[in-house]
Amino acid sequence: MASVKQIQVTFDCTEPERVARFWCEVLGYVVPPPPKGFAIWDDVERAMPPERQGSWFACVDPSGVGPRLFFQRVPEGKVVKNRVHLDVRVGTGLVGEERLAALEAECARLVALGAVRVRLLTADEENESCLVMQDIEGNEFCLD
């Protein structure tokens, strides 16, 4: 049996490009080049049938280490809490006030991009503090 070499994380959303560009800013990801035979992504869109235009968008880690993120348009809106979410690791190795300061600084940057701060989960005997947030379409993620 072959082992998995790569994964992709897929988001259901109403505005794929808008959500993808938000996550590019959060993670330092980039929009990959268009497929062979197309100079720009707008050319790809124009080649699609009208009902498929704007139906998906993707972004990638420029270093090639992180997973590809894929955003697909779905007709229904978000109703309940995500069953899977991203942890954005901004406080790794930090504890106490130093960790809280790093989380708060990143929270402020992301709120300026349109994210929403939900709540701070304070440190306990087992876990360090983290911040629960939502992206621009309400998908939960954590600053960890």
Side-chain angles (χ1 to χ4, degrees), residues 99-136:
R99 181 180 178 87
L100 286 173
L103 296 176
E104 292 294 349
E106 184 65 0
C107 177
R109 183 180 81 85
L110 300 183
V111 165
L113 295 173
V116 174
R117 178 189 177 122
V118 176
R119 70 183 170 281
L120 173 67
L121 300 174
T122 55
D124 58 26
E125 299 79 36
E126 297 177 24
N127 301 296
E128 286 296 332
S129 297
C130 71
L131 266 168
V132 179
M133 300 192 68
Q134 292 178 335
D135 73 10
I136 57 177

mmCIF file of all heavy atoms in Angstrom, residues 99-136:
data_model
loop_
_atom_site.group_PDB
_atom_site.id
_atom_site.type_symbol
_atom_site.label_atom_id
_atom_site.label_comp_id
_atom_site.label_asym_id
_atom_site.label_seq_id
_atom_site.Cartn_x
_atom_site.Cartn_y
_atom_site.Cartn_z
ATOM 1 N N ARG A 99 3.345 34.229 25.490
ATOM 2 C CA ARG A 99 2.454 33.546 24.548
ATOM 3 C C ARG A 99 1.202 34.376 24.302
ATOM 4 O O ARG A 99 0.771 34.554 23.161
ATOM 5 C CB ARG A 99 2.087 32.169 25.084
ATOM 6 C CG ARG A 99 1.178 31.387 24.151
ATOM 7 C CD ARG A 99 0.841 30.022 24.751
ATOM 8 N NE ARG A 99 -0.050 29.277 23.902
ATOM 9 C CZ ARG A 99 0.316 28.485 22.900
ATOM 10 N NH1 ARG A 99 1.591 28.336 22.623
ATOM 11 N NH2 ARG A 99 -0.573 27.837 22.188
ATOM 12 N N LEU A 100 0.590 34.888 25.375
ATOM 13 C CA LEU A 100 -0.613 35.710 25.218
ATOM 14 C C LEU A 100 -0.344 36.928 24.352
ATOM 15 O O LEU A 100 -1.168 37.294 23.514
ATOM 16 C CB LEU A 100 -1.155 36.128 26.582
ATOM 17 C CG LEU A 100 -1.860 35.025 27.376
ATOM 18 C CD1 LEU A 100 -2.198 35.524 28.777
ATOM 19 C CD2 LEU A 100 -3.099 34.543 26.657
ATOM 20 N N ALA A 101 0.802 37.553 24.530
ATOM 21 C CA ALA A 101 1.148 38.728 23.722
ATOM 22 C C ALA A 101 1.254 38.361 22.240
ATOM 23 O O ALA A 101 0.775 39.105 21.370
ATOM 24 C CB ALA A 101 2.453 39.347 24.217
ATOM 25 N N ALA A 102 1.861 37.217 21.936
ATOM 26 C CA ALA A 102 1.984 36.779 20.543
ATOM 27 C C ALA A 102 0.605 36.484 19.952
ATOM 28 O O ALA A 102 0.313 36.858 18.804
ATOM 29 C CB ALA A 102 2.881 35.543 20.451
ATOM 30 N N LEU A 103 -0.250 35.818 20.726
ATOM 31 C CA LEU A 103 -1.602 35.513 20.256
ATOM 32 C C LEU A 103 -2.397 36.792 20.010
ATOM 33 O O LEU A 103 -3.079 36.928 18.984
ATOM 34 C CB LEU A 103 -2.342 34.635 21.268
ATOM 35 C CG LEU A 103 -1.789 33.231 21.522
ATOM 36 C CD1 LEU A 103 -2.596 32.543 22.619
ATOM 37 C CD2 LEU A 103 -1.760 32.395 20.265
ATOM 38 N N GLU A 104 -2.316 37.730 20.933
ATOM 39 C CA GLU A 104 -3.066 38.987 20.795
ATOM 40 C C GLU A 104 -2.573 39.807 19.609
ATOM 41 O O GLU A 104 -3.383 40.405 18.893
ATOM 42 C CB GLU A 104 -2.971 39.811 22.087
ATOM 43 C CG GLU A 104 -3.685 39.193 23.275
ATOM 44 C CD GLU A 104 -5.196 39.127 23.140
ATOM 45 O OE1 GLU A 104 -5.775 39.742 22.215
ATOM 46 O OE2 GLU A 104 -5.826 38.437 23.976
ATOM 47 N N ALA A 105 -1.260 39.820 19.378
ATOM 48 C CA ALA A 105 -0.720 40.577 18.242
ATOM 49 C C ALA A 105 -1.220 39.988 16.924
ATOM 50 O O ALA A 105 -1.642 40.718 16.019
ATOM 51 C CB ALA A 105 0.806 40.588 18.291
ATOM 52 N N GLU A 106 -1.187 38.663 16.820
ATOM 53 C CA GLU A 106 -1.665 38.030 15.586
ATOM 54 C C GLU A 106 -3.166 38.197 15.448
ATOM 55 O O GLU A 106 -3.678 38.421 14.346
ATOM 56 C CB GLU A 106 -1.276 36.552 15.554
ATOM 57 C CG GLU A 106 -1.641 35.851 14.269
ATOM 58 C CD GLU A 106 -0.910 36.336 13.023
ATOM 59 O OE1 GLU A 106 -0.067 37.263 13.100
ATOM 60 O OE2 GLU A 106 -1.192 35.793 11.935
ATOM 61 N N CYS A 107 -3.894 38.129 16.537
ATOM 62 C CA CYS A 107 -5.343 38.345 16.521
ATOM 63 C C CYS A 107 -5.658 39.732 15.954
ATOM 64 O O CYS A 107 -6.530 39.873 15.093
ATOM 65 C CB CYS A 107 -5.913 38.183 17.926
ATOM 66 S SG CYS A 107 -7.682 38.513 18.047
ATOM 67 N N ALA A 108 -4.959 40.741 16.412
ATOM 68 C CA ALA A 108 -5.196 42.101 15.927
ATOM 69 C C ALA A 108 -4.941 42.197 14.429
ATOM 70 O O ALA A 108 -5.714 42.829 13.692
ATOM 71 C CB ALA A 108 -4.312 43.090 16.686
ATOM 72 N N ARG A 109 -3.875 41.563 13.943
ATOM 73 C CA ARG A 109 -3.571 41.576 12.506
ATOM 74 C C ARG A 109 -4.695 40.910 11.722
ATOM 75 O O ARG A 109 -5.148 41.431 10.694
ATOM 76 C CB ARG A 109 -2.245 40.850 12.246
ATOM 77 C CG ARG A 109 -1.807 40.887 10.786
ATOM 78 C CD ARG A 109 -0.481 40.166 10.568
ATOM 79 N NE ARG A 109 -0.643 38.731 10.461
ATOM 80 C CZ ARG A 109 -0.946 38.079 9.320
ATOM 81 N NH1 ARG A 109 -1.153 38.754 8.201
ATOM 82 N NH2 ARG A 109 -1.044 36.770 9.313
ATOM 83 N N LEU A 110 -5.196 39.789 12.212
ATOM 84 C CA LEU A 110 -6.222 39.047 11.476
ATOM 85 C C LEU A 110 -7.590 39.713 11.551
ATOM 86 O O LEU A 110 -8.350 39.674 10.589
ATOM 87 C CB LEU A 110 -6.283 37.609 11.974
ATOM 88 C CG LEU A 110 -4.973 36.815 11.826
ATOM 89 C CD1 LEU A 110 -5.169 35.388 12.273
ATOM 90 C CD2 LEU A 110 -4.430 36.895 10.418
ATOM 91 N N VAL A 111 -7.896 40.350 12.658
ATOM 92 C CA VAL A 111 -9.151 41.111 12.762
ATOM 93 C C VAL A 111 -9.153 42.234 11.720
ATOM 94 O O VAL A 111 -10.169 42.494 11.078
ATOM 95 C CB VAL A 111 -9.367 41.626 14.201
ATOM 96 C CG1 VAL A 111 -10.444 42.691 14.251
ATOM 97 C CG2 VAL A 111 -9.718 40.460 15.133
ATOM 98 N N ALA A 112 -8.008 42.852 11.509
ATOM 99 C CA ALA A 112 -7.907 43.902 10.487
ATOM 100 C C ALA A 112 -8.158 43.347 9.083
ATOM 101 O O ALA A 112 -8.582 44.081 8.188
ATOM 102 C CB ALA A 112 -6.535 44.574 10.552
ATOM 103 N N LEU A 113 -7.937 42.043 8.888
ATOM 104 C CA LEU A 113 -8.194 41.397 7.597
ATOM 105 C C LEU A 113 -9.638 40.914 7.457
ATOM 106 O O LEU A 113 -10.031 40.422 6.406
ATOM 107 C CB LEU A 113 -7.261 40.191 7.414
ATOM 108 C CG LEU A 113 -5.770 40.480 7.311
ATOM 109 C CD1 LEU A 113 -4.986 39.170 7.311
ATOM 110 C CD2 LEU A 113 -5.466 41.297 6.067
ATOM 111 N N GLY A 114 -10.406 41.010 8.551
ATOM 112 C CA GLY A 114 -11.807 40.599 8.508
ATOM 113 C C GLY A 114 -12.156 39.419 9.390
ATOM 114 O O GLY A 114 -13.311 38.995 9.433
ATOM 115 N N ALA A 115 -11.168 38.843 10.086
ATOM 116 C CA ALA A 115 -11.446 37.738 11.008
ATOM 117 C C ALA A 115 -12.213 38.258 12.221
ATOM 118 O O ALA A 115 -12.238 39.465 12.487
ATOM 119 C CB ALA A 115 -10.145 37.080 11.462
ATOM 120 N N VAL A 116 -12.810 37.333 12.964
ATOM 121 C CA VAL A 116 -13.556 37.683 14.170
ATOM 122 C C VAL A 116 -12.966 36.915 15.343
ATOM 123 O O VAL A 116 -12.759 35.700 15.263
ATOM 124 C CB VAL A 116 -15.053 37.317 14.013
ATOM 125 C CG1 VAL A 116 -15.817 37.529 15.316
ATOM 126 C CG2 VAL A 116 -15.677 38.107 12.876
ATOM 127 N N ARG A 117 -12.698 37.636 16.418
ATOM 128 C CA ARG A 117 -12.237 37.003 17.651
ATOM 129 C C ARG A 117 -13.464 36.418 18.357
ATOM 130 O O ARG A 117 -14.463 37.112 18.558
ATOM 131 C CB ARG A 117 -11.564 38.042 18.537
ATOM 132 C CG ARG A 117 -11.103 37.496 19.863
ATOM 133 C CD ARG A 117 -10.656 38.633 20.776
ATOM 134 N NE ARG A 117 -10.286 38.129 22.069
ATOM 135 C CZ ARG A 117 -9.103 38.296 22.621
ATOM 136 N NH1 ARG A 117 -8.178 39.002 21.985
ATOM 137 N NH2 ARG A 117 -8.839 37.785 23.797
ATOM 138 N N VAL A 118 -13.398 35.142 18.735
ATOM 139 C CA VAL A 118 -14.520 34.486 19.394
ATOM 140 C C VAL A 118 -14.292 34.436 20.897
ATOM 141 O O VAL A 118 -15.098 34.940 21.669
ATOM 142 C CB VAL A 118 -14.768 33.070 18.823
ATOM 143 C CG1 VAL A 118 -15.878 32.358 19.580
ATOM 144 C CG2 VAL A 118 -15.089 33.163 17.335
ATOM 145 N N ARG A 119 -13.187 33.804 21.329
ATOM 146 C CA ARG A 119 -12.913 33.735 22.769
ATOM 147 C C ARG A 119 -11.481 33.276 23.017
ATOM 148 O O ARG A 119 -10.893 32.571 22.206
ATOM 149 C CB ARG A 119 -13.884 32.810 23.471
ATOM 150 C CG ARG A 119 -13.725 31.353 23.161
ATOM 151 C CD ARG A 119 -14.791 30.478 23.860
ATOM 152 N NE ARG A 119 -14.776 29.125 23.383
ATOM 153 C CZ ARG A 119 -15.306 28.694 22.252
ATOM 154 N NH1 ARG A 119 -15.919 29.556 21.467
ATOM 155 N NH2 ARG A 119 -15.232 27.441 21.894
ATOM 156 N N LEU A 120 -10.980 33.648 24.169
ATOM 157 C CA LEU A 120 -9.672 33.211 24.635
ATOM 158 C C LEU A 120 -9.877 31.993 25.523
ATOM 159 O O LEU A 120 -10.690 32.024 26.455
ATOM 160 C CB LEU A 120 -8.981 34.325 25.430
ATOM 161 C CG LEU A 120 -7.668 33.935 26.106
ATOM 162 C CD1 LEU A 120 -6.587 33.633 25.074
ATOM 163 C CD2 LEU A 120 -7.216 35.050 27.041
ATOM 164 N N LEU A 121 -9.169 30.917 25.216
ATOM 165 C CA LEU A 121 -9.150 29.749 26.084
ATOM 166 C C LEU A 121 -7.862 29.842 26.895
ATOM 167 O O LEU A 121 -6.766 29.768 26.334
ATOM 168 C CB LEU A 121 -9.189 28.456 25.266
ATOM 169 C CG LEU A 121 -10.404 28.279 24.365
ATOM 170 C CD1 LEU A 121 -10.255 27.030 23.505
ATOM 171 C CD2 LEU A 121 -11.678 28.219 25.188
ATOM 172 N N THR A 122 -7.999 30.060 28.195
ATOM 173 C CA THR A 122 -6.817 30.289 29.030
ATOM 174 C C THR A 122 -6.123 28.976 29.384
ATOM 175 O O THR A 122 -6.736 27.910 29.401
ATOM 176 C CB THR A 122 -7.186 31.047 30.320
ATOM 177 O OG1 THR A 122 -8.213 30.325 30.999
ATOM 178 C CG2 THR A 122 -7.675 32.448 30.001
ATOM 179 N N ALA A 123 -4.851 29.081 29.678
ATOM 180 C CA ALA A 123 -4.024 27.918 30.001
ATOM 181 C C ALA A 123 -4.587 27.188 31.222
ATOM 182 O O ALA A 123 -5.157 27.799 32.127
ATOM 183 C CB ALA A 123 -2.591 28.358 30.264
ATOM 184 N N ASP A 124 -4.417 25.866 31.194
ATOM 185 C CA ASP A 124 -4.776 25.046 32.355
ATOM 186 C C ASP A 124 -3.622 24.082 32.625
ATOM 187 O O ASP A 124 -2.525 24.275 32.092
ATOM 188 C CB ASP A 124 -6.116 24.325 32.142
ATOM 189 C CG ASP A 124 -6.128 23.430 30.909
ATOM 190 O OD1 ASP A 124 -5.043 22.950 30.477
ATOM 191 O OD2 ASP A 124 -7.217 23.183 30.371
ATOM 192 N N GLU A 125 -3.866 23.040 33.376
ATOM 193 C CA GLU A 125 -2.796 22.105 33.722
ATOM 194 C C GLU A 125 -2.248 21.353 32.509
ATOM 195 O O GLU A 125 -1.129 20.858 32.529
ATOM 196 C CB GLU A 125 -3.284 21.078 34.755
ATOM 197 C CG GLU A 125 -3.749 21.651 36.072
ATOM 198 C CD GLU A 125 -5.165 22.227 35.975
ATOM 199 O OE1 GLU A 125 -6.030 21.686 35.248
ATOM 200 O OE2 GLU A 125 -5.397 23.259 36.633
ATOM 201 N N GLU A 126 -3.030 21.220 31.449
ATOM 202 C CA GLU A 126 -2.637 20.418 30.294
ATOM 203 C C GLU A 126 -2.331 21.225 29.037
ATOM 204 O O GLU A 126 -1.561 20.783 28.199
ATOM 205 C CB GLU A 126 -3.747 19.412 29.970
ATOM 206 C CG GLU A 126 -3.991 18.414 31.068
ATOM 207 C CD GLU A 126 -5.149 17.489 30.744
ATOM 208 O OE1 GLU A 126 -5.467 17.311 29.546
ATOM 209 O OE2 GLU A 126 -5.738 16.949 31.692
ATOM 210 N N ASN A 127 -2.959 22.373 28.862
ATOM 211 C CA ASN A 127 -2.855 23.122 27.606
ATOM 212 C C ASN A 127 -2.451 24.563 27.840
ATOM 213 O O ASN A 127 -2.835 25.173 28.844
ATOM 214 C CB ASN A 127 -4.216 23.118 26.888
ATOM 215 C CG ASN A 127 -4.697 21.727 26.585
ATOM 216 O OD1 ASN A 127 -4.070 21.017 25.814
ATOM 217 N ND2 ASN A 127 -5.791 21.315 27.201
ATOM 218 N N GLU A 128 -1.714 25.094 26.883
ATOM 219 C CA GLU A 128 -1.409 26.519 26.883
ATOM 220 C C GLU A 128 -2.619 27.283 26.348
ATOM 221 O O GLU A 128 -3.519 26.699 25.750
ATOM 222 C CB GLU A 128 -0.178 26.803 26.010
ATOM 223 C CG GLU A 128 1.130 26.384 26.639
ATOM 224 C CD GLU A 128 1.453 27.163 27.910
ATOM 225 O OE1 GLU A 128 1.023 28.320 28.051
ATOM 226 O OE2 GLU A 128 2.141 26.598 28.781
ATOM 227 N N SER A 129 -2.611 28.578 26.520
ATOM 228 C CA SER A 129 -3.702 29.424 26.029
ATOM 229 C C SER A 129 -3.780 29.385 24.507
ATOM 230 O O SER A 129 -2.772 29.202 23.825
ATOM 231 C CB SER A 129 -3.487 30.873 26.473
ATOM 232 O OG SER A 129 -3.515 30.963 27.864
ATOM 233 N N CYS A 130 -4.988 29.562 23.983
ATOM 234 C CA CYS A 130 -5.188 29.732 22.543
ATOM 235 C C CYS A 130 -6.396 30.638 22.334
ATOM 236 O O CYS A 130 -7.207 30.828 23.239
ATOM 237 C CB CYS A 130 -5.353 28.402 21.824
ATOM 238 S SG CYS A 130 -6.890 27.548 22.131
ATOM 239 N N LEU A 131 -6.476 31.208 21.155
ATOM 240 C CA LEU A 131 -7.582 32.093 20.789
ATOM 241 C C LEU A 131 -8.426 31.430 19.720
ATOM 242 O O LEU A 131 -7.907 31.012 18.685
ATOM 243 C CB LEU A 131 -7.044 33.410 20.235
ATOM 244 C CG LEU A 131 -6.869 34.554 21.198
ATOM 245 C CD1 LEU A 131 -6.059 35.666 20.567
ATOM 246 C CD2 LEU A 131 -8.214 35.076 21.650
ATOM 247 N N VAL A 132 -9.719 31.317 19.956
ATOM 248 C CA VAL A 132 -10.648 30.803 18.957
ATOM 249 C C VAL A 132 -11.098 31.995 18.113
ATOM 250 O O VAL A 132 -11.475 33.039 18.654
ATOM 251 C CB VAL A 132 -11.859 30.111 19.618
ATOM 252 C CG1 VAL A 132 -12.836 29.612 18.555
ATOM 253 C CG2 VAL A 132 -11.404 28.976 20.522
ATOM 254 N N MET A 133 -11.045 31.825 16.794
ATOM 255 C CA MET A 133 -11.418 32.893 15.877
ATOM 256 C C MET A 133 -12.282 32.328 14.763
ATOM 257 O O MET A 133 -12.469 31.113 14.666
ATOM 258 C CB MET A 133 -10.154 33.556 15.314
ATOM 259 C CG MET A 133 -9.276 34.154 16.404
ATOM 260 S SD MET A 133 -7.981 35.217 15.770
ATOM 261 C CE MET A 133 -8.947 36.591 15.144
ATOM 262 N N GLN A 134 -12.805 33.229 13.917
ATOM 263 C CA GLN A 134 -13.543 32.840 12.717
ATOM 264 C C GLN A 134 -12.975 33.605 11.533
ATOM 265 O O GLN A 134 -12.620 34.785 11.657
ATOM 266 C CB GLN A 134 -15.027 33.175 12.851
ATOM 267 C CG GLN A 134 -15.746 32.348 13.884
ATOM 268 C CD GLN A 134 -17.201 32.752 14.019
ATOM 269 O OE1 GLN A 134 -17.576 33.875 13.730
ATOM 270 N NE2 GLN A 134 -18.026 31.823 14.479
ATOM 271 N N ASP A 135 -12.921 32.918 10.376
ATOM 272 C CA ASP A 135 -12.472 33.600 9.165
ATOM 273 C C ASP A 135 -13.609 34.458 8.609
ATOM 274 O O ASP A 135 -14.655 34.613 9.253
ATOM 275 C CB ASP A 135 -11.910 32.607 8.146
ATOM 276 C CG ASP A 135 -12.955 31.741 7.439
ATOM 277 O OD1 ASP A 135 -14.176 31.990 7.570
ATOM 278 O OD2 ASP A 135 -12.537 30.802 6.734
ATOM 279 N N ILE A 136 -13.442 34.991 7.433
ATOM 280 C CA ILE A 136 -14.402 35.951 6.882
ATOM 281 C C ILE A 136 -15.743 35.336 6.486
ATOM 282 O O ILE A 136 -16.680 36.071 6.182
ATOM 283 C CB ILE A 136 -13.795 36.723 5.689
ATOM 284 C CG1 ILE A 136 -13.330 35.761 4.604
ATOM 285 C CG2 ILE A 136 -12.658 37.605 6.171
ATOM 286 C CD1 ILE A 136 -12.781 36.441 3.371
#
